[in-house]
Amino acid sequence: MSKVLLVTGGAGFIGANFVLYWLGKYPQDRVVVLDALTYAGNLDNLAAVKDSDAMTFVHGDICDQPLVEALIRDQKVDTLVHFAAESHVDRSITGPDAFIETNVIGTHSLLKAAKKVWLDEEANVEGHRFHHVSTDEVYGTLGPEDPAFREDTPYAPNSPYSASKAASDHLVRAYHHTYGLNVTTSNCSNNYGPFHFPEKLIPLVITNILFDRALPIYGDGKQIRDWLYVEDHARGIDLILEKGRIDETYNIGGINEWANIDIVKLICGLMNEAFANDSGLAERFPEASAAQAGNAESLITYVKDRPGHDRRYAIDPTKANNELGYQPAETFETGIRRTLQWYLENESWWRAVMDGSYRQWIEKQYG
Ligand code: NAD
Ligand code: DAU
C-alpha cells in the first residue's frame, strides 16, 4: 500500500538525503516536505525532485500547530518522519534558545498536531506512525574501554543540543504511553555525505582545504565519533518504518569509530591525492596551495576545545541488526571518497551556501 509521508526538515542534510532515497525507492508514495529554511535548509538539496508530482514543498515552521494539523488532515498523511531541528552543537553553546524552541517546543507541537488529527479526529488514523529522528549524543560520553551505546544506556546529555534532543525523545515516548500515538525513535551516530552543511567537521575540512584555510582541531583531536554514510541512515529509518515495533527505539551506527585528528589527516591525504591525479583541480582551486603541494596537513591547527566536549561516541547496533536485519551498506573507505568527489563536483552548491547567495535568493522568494 502506498504511503503519504510528512518529512519535517526535509531540506536539510539528512532530511533531503532521506527524501531522495525514499522517492527513488518508492516512486508510488507521496512526500510532503515541511521546512522553515533556516540557515541549514536548502531547496537546492531537493532539486532532483522539485518538479516531481510525488513531492510537495511547504515552507513553514514545525511550531505552527494549525499548519501541521492541516497538512496531516488535508494531505492524508499516514507517516510523519521528524528530522527538523537545530543540529549544530557549537551553535547550541553560543545560542541555546533556538534549540529549545525548535527541538523541544517544535517536537511537542508536532506531537500535539499528530494526536489531534490521528487520534482525536480519527482521520487517516489507520497505520499512522510518528517516527522521531534523534541522536546518539543523548547518551553522553564514553571512556575508551566503555561498551558502545545500547538502547538501554541511561540518558546523560552534555550540551544544550543533546539535552534538547533528549527532552524531545522523552516527549515522543510519553505521547505513546499517555495517548496511544504510534511512535518509533532512532538514535543515530555522526552522518556524512552529500549536502552536509560546511560548518560540520568533514565538509568544513574539505572546503577549508580548497580555500587554503586553517583546519581547526578542537583540544587534542583525539575525540572519537562513529561515522555513518547518510544513505545508510535513510535505509535504517526505512527498515524501522517497515519492521520496527511501536514504542521502540533503535540505535543506528556505522561500526566505524575514528578519532577526529585521524579523519582530518585521512581527508588531507585524499585531497593531496586528488590534486596530484587531476591537474584541472589546481586551475579550478588556485587558492588550494597546500593541497597542490601535496601537503594539506600543514593547514592543521589545534584550537581551544569545545566546552563540555564529549570524548567518545559509539553505537552498538545489535538490536537493529537482530530485529530489522540492519547493516550499513557503504564502507568508510568508499563513502569518504564518494563524499570528497561530491564536494569537488558540486562547487556551486557549497559556494552558494558559504557566500550567502542562496540565503539572499531565499529571502527574495519568501520575504
Ligand atoms: P540540518 O541542520 O542539516 O537540517 C535541519 C533542517 O531542519 C533544515 O532544513 C532546517 O531548515 C530545518 N528546520 C530547522 N528548524 C525548523 C523549524 N522550526 N521548522 C521547520 N524546519 C526547521 O540537520 P541534519 O544534520 O540534517 O539533522 C537532521 C536530524 O537528524 C536532526 O533532528 C538531528 O538531531 C538528527 N541527527 C543528525 C545527525 C548528524 O550527524 N547530522 C546524527 C544523528 C541525528
Ligand atoms: O553524533 C551525532 C551528532 O553528530 C548529531 O546529533 C549532530 O547533529 C551532528 O552535528 C554531529 O555532532 P558532532 O558535534 O559530533 O559533529 P561536528 O561535525 O560538529 O564535530 C565532529 C567532531 O569534530 C567533534 O568531536 C568536534 C570536532 N570538531 C568539529 C569542528 C566543526 C573539530 O575538532 N573542529 C571543528 O572545526
Side-chain angles (χ1 to χ4, degrees), residues 87 135-137 161 190 200-201 216 218 225 260 306 309:
S87 69
T135 170
D136 60 356
E137 300 204 11
Y161 163 69
N190 286 63
K200 309 277 171 64
L201 183 70
Y218 298 165
R225 298 292 183 266
N260 293 337
R306 173 187 275 175
H309 199 171

Side-chain angles (χ1 to χ4, degrees), residues 35-37 43 57-60 358-367:
D35 199 297
L37 297 177
L43 275 181
F57 178 78
V58 179
H59 182 222
Y358 170 74
R359 292 256 42 102
Q360 285 160 15
W361 178 80
I362 280 294
E363 270 150 35
K364 254 198 246 147
Q365 285 283 106
Y366 295 110

Side-chain angles (χ1 to χ4, degrees), residues 60-72:
D61 197 311
I62 57 167
C63 296
D64 184 346
Q65 192 184 329
L67 169 67
V68 177
E69 284 171 18
L71 288 175
I72 298 176

Side-chain angles (χ1 to χ4, degrees), residues 137 190 223-227 256-260 263 306 309-314:
E137 300 204 11
N190 286 63
Q223 304 84 3
I224 289 173
R225 298 292 183 266
D226 180 355
W227 293 94
N256 181 42
E257 291 184 51
W258 280 79
N260 293 337
I263 226 162
R306 173 187 275 175
H309 199 171
D310 288 331
R311 196 70 186 159
R312 174 175 166 237
Y313 302 145

Side-chain angles (χ1 to χ4, degrees), residues 21 231-241 252 324 326:
Y21 163 91
E231 208 173 274
D232 278 327
H233 189 176
R235 286 181 43 254
I237 295 171
D238 183 0
L239 283 167
I240 295 171
L241 292 176
I252 301 183
L324 314 173
Y326 175 75

Side-chain angles (χ1 to χ4, degrees), residues 8-15 34-42 60-63 82-88 102 133-136 161 165 188-191 196-197 199-200 233:
T8 72
F13 162 47
I14 308 175
L34 173 64
D35 199 297
L37 297 177
T38 67
Y39 79 94
N42 189 341
D61 197 311
I62 57 167
C63 296
H82 175 33
F83 292 95
E86 288 294 333
S87 69
H88 192 38
T102 289
V133 180
S134 192
T135 170
D136 60 356
Y161 163 69
K165 292 297 290 186
C188 189
S189 60
N190 286 63
N191 287 214
H196 204 181
F197 197 86
E199 65 187 352
K200 309 277 171 64
H233 189 176

